Amino acid sequence: MVLATQLTSAQVDSWLKRLAVEAPLDKEGRFVFLGPVHTTRTGWVVRARCAEGKEVALRLLRPELAAEEADRELFLAWAQACARVEHARLARLLEAGSLLTADNFELLFAESPWVGGATLKHMLQGRGQGLPAEQAFHVVGQVAAALAAVHATGVVHGELRPSLVVLDRKQNATLIGLGVPPRLRRRTELLGFGAWATAPWAPPERLASDGETVEPNADVYQLALLAYEAFAGIPYPRWTAPDLLSDMVDYMPLAMDELLQKCLGDPDLRPASALEFLAQLRDVEAGYDQNVRDRKARNKVSGKQLKEWAETLLEQTYPPYELVLSLAQKAKAQRGLLSLSSSLERELSELAHRAQAGLRQRLASTFKKLLEDRDFTAAQSFLDRVAEELPGEEVVEHYVRLERERAQATPGKTPEAVKALLGFLKKPELSFAARLTVVEALESLLGGVVVAAPVGFVKPQGKLQVVETFRVQDQPVTVVLGPVMRLGRGSFTQFGNHVDLAPPLEKVAEDSALLLLAQSISRAGHVEFRIGAQGLEAFCLGTHGITLDGVTLARGESAPIRLEGSLVVARGATKGVYRLVQSPEGEVLALWVEFAEGVAAGKKALWVLQRLPLSLLHPEVGDCGLADPTPEGWVVEATTSGLRLGGLPLEVGVRRVWQPEEKLVLPGEVEVIREGV
């Protein structure tokens, strides 16, 4: 017999993979293997059939967690406490003990009924949206009731999440997987089988504790995350501003947002147990039913109320910064509907800034702990999850640090680290600064100089559009984001051209020669400015060619872009000039193109790769500020006085979102309006 003290998880893994369906799991023949095997941090969950012919779920504990007699006794005592919990919506623990396998392995096990059906996680992924509100209240209420029964016996679940909630055909929920004692879960972390402290469902206080003592309010935190996902259909965002459920779900009262906010902050502010959470959830449900009867689909709340709400959250020991950011953004968005004072706008901007700084600090602290524990696998998994919410630009520095420290800790991993870092250089959306960070890391690993293409671009996402029109002194300027700017005779919708070089119909009707010239320009793109292997280049797509800086290019040929130069399209159909703008550090910011002759005379276009210097919009305004493309939209920052946005002065250093149809006034009273797509 191989005792748990001599056994390894790798041996158990190998044995389980060799098991055939209907093979006995133990020498006594009590359990028959039915498969499949689900691997967890603490062991394995196996579908089996017991001697009575019923299907059961066997949780097999990793042998490393039962190496000490004290740990074995702790697990069995925990299982005994769990066995006392009974509730109709809970897969209760039936039995626990020691199992001698057919391969003479001694393993600790816990037996529960096998619960058939789809998990809540699987159902939400299949729907692509949240459950209907009435059904979500029903499911979350059943889970909370089952969890209340668990808490009543002094047990804490510890790992509540949608994948551990199974729904039957009548949409009734059953909570499964009571897990293991907190001390063994902590041992799991120390042994490198997976970090619980940084798991998506771990409460914020877990990072500052030893993890060996867990209170019921930790389950309440996880219950709030589960509730959000049930109603919203997506996991609760931990690193970006979540949409409030009262905004997402018709008739949902603000009390739902208030309940979740209490649960997601400091432990002592949460409902003390699942029973208290359930009572408050029922009050919210009653408010929802009343709103349905009153046909009150939306809630009215002022910007001042939202600001005060956000300020209260910031006073906590573990502020839910993502909620603060959400409230500040919601209040600022009211500017288009309601009049906000300039002082309130400044306060909201400051709140948003503090929330973003808090999120960055929380990210850095969490990542730092994983590196200190030398848990590189968990650190990689953590960054991958964060990158699902944040642009790669914001986490690349952490990825670089991970690869450097992993390579230093294990020299044999250097080739893998180099390969991973080179992969980042292939991502064109990374900024110039991020690329330099990657290059410096490669140089330190390789001991040499690495040459990388220094051109990055901002990927259109969130509220950004690929193509917009800015009206400068009532004259249109096409603004393009992304890795390429294509010019041709036709619209973006029809032919994929970001800039339409076709002349107005009224001019064509008056001048047949103009029509002939226009027809020589290819519809689906004649020329495109793009990021090439050696930097920015112009690429000819049209059959009638282009001339760039005096060099004629046929279809399929390209040439590098200079700091400024000339462009002739389709043998003279239209002629223009271009100018490249860089930062003092050499980072490419934007490309300006203006046509002076031919079919496109008077047309202007801006290809913004990183930031838009406002001086490009009009020759008389000077270096007065920048417009940054962000997921929240275009954000304007003044570097000199004299700018106004939406009728309000824009102070130096202050950043504000530039809303569509909002007027931006530059020095010299130059007016710019975002017309949108």
Side-chain angles (χ1 to χ4, degrees), residues 308-325:
E308 292 171 350
W309 201 348
E311 288 173 336
T312 301
L313 294 176
L314 278 176
E315 294 173 358
Q316 298 185 22
T317 304
Y318 303 101
Y321 291 113
E322 69 284 353
L323 285 172
V324 175
L325 183 59

Side-chain angles (χ1 to χ4, degrees), residues 342-358:
S342 57
S343 61
L344 179 56
E345 277 209 73
R346 284 195 298 271
E347 289 171 336
L348 291 172
S349 295
E350 174 62 22
L351 282 172
H353 176 75
R354 289 175 62 188
Q356 289 167 332

Side-chain angles (χ1 to χ4, degrees), residues 110-434:
E111 175 191 353
S112 300
W114 180 264
V115 181
T119 66
L120 176 59
K121 185 73 174 179
H122 179 76
M123 178 169 287
L124 290 172
Q125 288 174 338
R127 287 176 56 85
Q129 59 183 336
L131 300 176
E134 294 80 1
Q135 184 182 346
F137 276 119
H138 174 70
V139 168
V140 176
Q142 287 186 326
V143 174
L147 196 60
V150 173
H151 290 170
T153 57
V155 175
V156 177
H157 191 289
E159 298 197 53
L160 179 65
R161 53 193 188 276
S163 59
L164 294 181
V165 174
V166 180
L167 302 178
D168 62 19
R169 292 181 179 179
K170 295 182 178 180
Q171 302 304 300
N172 287 312
T174 299
L175 177 61
I176 63 175
L178 280 175
V180 300
R183 197 172 86 190
L184 294 188
R185 193 182 297 120
R186 175 57 178 155
R187 284 281 306 281
T188 302
E189 289 185 302
L190 297 175
L191 290 169
F193 291 117
W196 186 78
T198 55
W201 56 87
E205 67 273 13
R206 170 61 188 86
L207 202 64
S209 71
D210 60 11
E212 296 197 2
T213 303
V214 181
E215 300 297 330
N217 56 27
D219 280 349
V220 171
Y221 176 89
Q222 296 170 357
L223 192 54
L225 296 183
L226 183 142
Y228 184 92
E229 191 163 348
F231 283 99
I234 57 173
Y236 177 77
R238 296 286 297 271
W239 307 101
T240 55
D243 291 324
L244 302 180
L245 289 184
S246 61
D247 290 333
M248 299 178 71
V249 182
D250 286 344
Y251 308 108
M252 183 65 74
L254 285 171
M256 186 62 175
D257 298 325
E258 293 170 349
L259 173 58
L260 296 187
Q261 286 164 15
K262 283 191 292 186
C263 295
L264 297 175
D266 285 355
D268 56 352
L269 297 179
R270 299 172 197 155
S273 68
L275 186 62
E276 289 189 23
F277 176 93
L278 179 59
Q280 295 183 40
L281 181 70
R282 293 303 182 219
D283 290 340
V284 173
E285 187 175 12
Y288 169 84
D289 292 339
Q290 186 62 49
N291 284 348
V292 172
R293 289 192 292 271
D294 296 341
R295 297 184 179 181
K296 184 181 177 182
R298 286 288 178 266
N299 303 276
K300 293 182 180 180
V301 57
S302 69
K304 183 179 179 181
Q305 288 174 304
L306 292 168
K307 178 188 78 78
E308 292 171 350
W309 201 348
E311 288 173 336
T312 301
L313 294 176
L314 278 176
E315 294 173 358
Q316 298 185 22
T317 304
Y318 303 101
Y321 291 113
E322 69 284 353
L323 285 172
V324 175
L325 183 59
S326 179
L327 292 170
Q329 290 177 349
K330 178 180 172 68
K332 291 174 70 176
Q334 293 183 348
R335 184 157 50 89
L337 304 173
L338 304 171
S339 176
L340 298 181
S341 66
S342 57
S343 61
L344 179 56
E345 277 209 73
R346 284 195 298 271
E347 289 171 336
L348 291 172
S349 295
E350 174 62 22
L351 282 172
H353 176 75
R354 289 175 62 188
Q356 289 167 332
L359 286 171
R360 288 193 294 270
Q361 178 60 38
R362 190 171 76 188
L363 169 58
S365 299
T366 305
F367 182 62
K368 180 182 178 182
K369 184 181 187 306
L370 291 170
L371 290 186
E372 288 174 348
D373 292 342
R374 284 294 184 260
D375 195 343
F376 299 121
T377 301
Q380 175 82 52
S381 177
F382 170 70
L383 290 182
D384 289 344
R385 288 199 307 273
V386 173
E388 292 176 2
E389 296 184 29
L390 295 177
E393 176 73 19
E394 297 191 29
V395 293
V396 66
E397 184 177 339
H398 299 296
Y399 271 117
V400 168
R401 184 180 174 189
L402 169 64
E403 297 302 340
R404 292 179 70 167
E405 295 210 13
R406 179 155 46 190
Q408 290 169 0
T410 312
K413 294 286 186 180
T414 298
E416 294 180 23
V418 170
K419 183 178 180 180
L421 292 173
L422 287 173
F424 279 110
L425 291 180
K426 295 178 182 178
K427 296 182 177 181
E429 67 269 20
L430 289 187
S431 70
F432 183 78

